Amino acid sequence: MAFEGLAERLQATFDKMKGRGKVSEADVKEMMREVRLALLEADVNFKVVKKFVNDVKERAVGQEVMKSLTPGQQVIKVVNEELTALMGGEQTKIATAQKSPTVVMMAGLQGAGKTTTVAKIANHLRKHNNRKPLLAAADIYRPAAIDQLETLGKQLNMPVYSLGDQASPVDIAKGAVEQAKEEHCDYVLIDTAGRLHIDENLMGELQEVKQAVQPDEILLVVDAMTGQDAVNVAESFNEQLGITGAVLTKLDGDTRGGAALSVRQVTGVPIKFAGVGEKIDELDEFHPERMASRILG
Ligand code: GDP
């Protein structure tokens, strides 16, 4: 990756201060400037960065950093802790309904990775949690989405519920839940339509699906490469649909993953999974502390 790590940069800043005895408030300010740049380069939304840096500064100007013999290290520690806390601290699992099947609805813009992620999560649930998922093909607008999901289902040897592209997403979602009950599947993962941009029709349709099947989990799929835009996407989906979690895809690409922090900050919902490649098994549970280290570089 082409980024210079924050650790190195802070060290360089600190080296300049050496020989001047104690760290001053001005020194902390300079270190904070480096923190700010590192976060912006990691594609964290600028408003989120501003608030974050102010919070950290308060802590840094306090005892911990100023009195430390290794202020550079200390700042990194504080930043790391704060970032981890902001992303929820602990890893958060996907929901399980008290009464089977657990209904999981996916949402997101076209190309974010919804269809792929449906299969990845299904695979994850079976492999790690011994679950029996059913996949529902309710993205009736993207021509290849239904075929894509059916192919993935075959590959996984899992049932895929489809009514073709003439049925309504609501009917497909309801039908899938019924079939899951009949076949004793304990998860229904509903792939939904995306658009290139957020529009009212899309949101209206997603709201109808939500209304019809009352999902236990609504996961927003966000492309980590979209950086700053991720904030607007997450905000709109959360306001208009209400999401319970997020999945960040394409973290295998050349991104520091600042979108993780932004998405978490604007929605308040946990990020549950990270997509790290195109293959079905390239999905990780999301770990806030690992992401904090990645964002800092
Ligand atoms: P959808 O329109 O939201 O259903 O998006 P798709 O599931 O069709 O994914 C769009 C493209 O992104 C496909 O080429 C996927 O292979 C790719 N993709 C999805 N998730 C990941 C990921 O985590 N890493 C990478 N590198 N590619 C991904």
Side-chain angles (χ1 to χ4, degrees), residues 109 111-116 120 142 148 250 252 275-278:
L109 293 183
K114 280 183 305 302
T115 308
T116 312
K120 284 178 171 180
R142 187 163 65 86
Q148 190 184 337
K250 309 187 193 182
D252 49 308
V276 292
E278 296 196 66

Side-chain angles (χ1 to χ4, degrees), residues 57-71:
K57 192 149 70 188
E58 261 170 43
R59 243 185 101 180
V61 173
Q63 305 296 328
E64 290 170 84
V65 172
M66 307 275 286
K67 287 197 177 158
S68 166
L69 291 173
T70 53

